[in-house]
Amino acid sequence: MDATRRGLLIGGAALAPSLALAAESSVDPTAPPAIKAHLGVTENPFGPSPAARKAAAKALAEAPYYGWELEPPLVKLIAEHDGLQPEQVGLCNGSLEALSLLSTAFSKAGPVVSPQPSYATPLLYAQRQGASLDWMPLAADQQIDLQALAERAKAVNAGCVYVCNPNNPTGLLLDAEALRAFCVEVSKTCPVLVDEAYIEISPDPVRNSMMDLVRAGHDVIVARTFSKVYGMAGLRVGFVAARADRVRALKSLIPTHKGRLGLAAAAACYGDPAYLAGAKTYLEGCREKIYAICDANGLRYLPSYGTYVFVDCGKPNLAFQKTLASLGVEVRVFDSPRHPTWIRVGTASPAELDYFAGVLPKALAA
């Protein structure tokens, strides 16, 4: 080692303690506590399956190179799995990307009609690009009002209609045949975006999915993701199933390539049904635990088919969200004039749910 490098190393070692002291002294004592229960997210906290992890690790060796050659095999797997033609499948960086880009494109023909509350992130993206959004409140039973949506879409000459099923944040699942009839009718005049991010943990995913309408040629776009039940949110892989012209339109809008690791891991998911079954059982158990916590504290909630539970905390939700955050618990609040006291509590690890159970009485008493 030459004298210059030795001097730099010695100087850096001598400087390290002073840097540590400086960092310690700069800590803000009034800062909120670190989050100990991440209940504002809706992903599988245990992450990808063993098969997906192994595939991603293997793909890491090729990380210096783009993963173009991994896209066609994954498209073929998805198409075979759902009875589609490869040209009916479009890959995206998580389903959010496709939903955002497509709703923006469709909004050029008319307003985007959506229930409220629902998963608004892609629609708010479209709004930032100039889209007009038309919100329809839920029915009295908290379910999406399909008749009202259909009537509104016709009245405003909608550019598209967005439906999340199971709905996020309510967790309620629409009657499959009612949704199917709605999609067939509305898609005669505008595209219907059906967000099925959580469909894998519904009681009968095949029956509850609108994938058969895509196979039949209706202008219905089904969005799926590997982020939720498959635990791969950080790897950003999703897809849409749609008419070939809609898939081509999506491809023309996406400016980036998909990540090699995510593509490899997503393909491996289809070869690990045991993990999917285990993840589904675990997440259902999490929901039951959230129900029990609510029951113990006298809180009303909706029975959910998602990886979250919609809870009426009985207090202004934004203020209550801040109270929970001050106690180390993160929850999500949705914009809906009819739900000023409701919060969404996501499934999480057992330790996080135990922590939530411990601090919730204190938050309610605050």
Side-chain angles (χ1 to χ4, degrees):
M1 182 183 294
D2 61 44
T4 301
R5 290 183 62 197
R6 186 182 301 110
L8 287 172
L9 286 172
I10 293 172
L15 185 60
S18 62
L19 287 175
L21 287 172
E24 184 177 349
S25 64
S26 66
V27 172
D28 181 2
T30 64
I35 297 300
K36 297 180 180 179
H38 295 271
L39 310 183
V41 294
T42 58
E43 287 73 39
N44 180 349
F46 289 107
S49 73
R53 291 174 190 265
K54 184 177 180 180
K58 184 178 179 181
L60 189 61
E62 299 295 319
Y65 311 105
Y66 295 110
W68 297 312
E69 79 279 9
L70 297 183
E71 293 190 25
L74 178 56
V75 166
K76 183 180 178 182
L77 273 175
I78 294 169
E80 290 175 348
H81 183 269
D82 290 302
L84 303 165
Q85 297 301 313
E87 58 268 24
Q88 293 176 292
V89 177
L91 298 179
C92 43
N93 292 292
S95 58
L96 173 59
E97 179 182 59
L99 291 169
S100 299
L101 295 174
L102 288 173
S103 57
T104 300
F106 296 148
S107 73
K108 300 184 188 311
V112 178
V113 177
S114 169
Q116 187 184 51
S118 194
Y119 181 57
T121 305
L123 310 187
L124 294 175
Y125 171 88
Q127 186 179 54
R128 293 194 297 273
Q129 313 310 312
S132 174
L133 306 183
D134 203 317
W135 303 107
M136 293 300 298
L138 302 179
D141 61 357
Q142 308 283 12
Q143 185 58 275
I144 292 173
D145 191 333
L146 292 175
Q147 182 178 347
L149 275 184
E151 291 174 355
R152 188 63 179 172
K154 183 178 180 180
V156 300
N157 293 317
C160 70
V161 176
Y162 170 80
V163 178
C164 184
N165 189 48
N167 192 24
N168 179 8
T170 64
L172 298 182
L173 187 69
L174 285 160
D175 176 79
E177 294 312 312
L179 177 58
R180 197 164 275 111
F182 165 86
C183 288
V184 169
E185 186 61 30
V186 174
S187 66
K188 293 175 182 177
T189 55
C190 71
V192 180
L193 290 166
V194 184
D195 185 348
E196 294 185 350
Y198 307 94
I199 201 72
E200 291 92 348
I201 58 173
S202 69
D204 188 343
V206 174
R207 178 176 177 273
N208 286 307
S209 174
M210 296 299 105
M211 201 69 79
D212 62 311
L213 298 185
V214 177
R215 289 192 290 269
H218 295 283
D219 197 4
V220 175
I221 299 155
V222 173
R224 295 274 187 87
T225 183
F226 290 90
S227 295
K228 306 303 179 182
V229 180
Y230 289 105
M232 287 173 36
L235 293 176
R236 310 310 300 132
V237 185
F239 68 92
V240 298
R243 291 184 337 199
D245 61 322
R246 297 303 189 193
V247 171
R248 288 194 299 270
L250 173 64
K251 289 180 178 180
S252 74
L253 296 170
I254 293 178
T256 60
H257 298 289
K258 272 61 71 179
R260 176 177 287 275
L261 274 63
L263 292 169
C269 287
Y270 284 108
D272 200 350
Y275 178 81
L276 179 59
K280 179 177 178 179
T281 299
Y282 164 74
L283 293 167
E284 289 171 345
C286 287
R287 290 197 311 241
E288 293 296 330
K289 188 164 186 173
I290 295 171
Y291 298 160
I293 293 170
C294 291
D295 289 337
N297 289 275
L299 299 182
R300 186 162 60 112
Y301 57 87
L302 299 181
S304 174
Y305 290 102
T307 57
Y308 45 85
V309 179
F310 204 35
V311 179
D312 185 355
C313 64
K315 297 173 177 288
N317 52 19
L318 288 172
F320 192 65
Q321 182 187 42
K322 291 180 180 179
T323 300
L324 284 173
S326 72
L327 297 170
V329 176
E330 173 194 65
V331 296
R332 181 85 179 267
V333 171
F334 280 67
D335 184 20
S336 174
R338 293 190 180 184
H339 298 82
T341 61
W342 291 75
I343 61 174
R344 191 193 69 188
V345 179
T347 51
S349 67
E352 289 174 296
L353 291 177
D354 286 342
Y355 183 83
F356 174 58
V359 304
L360 181 58
K362 185 185 295 185
L364 291 169

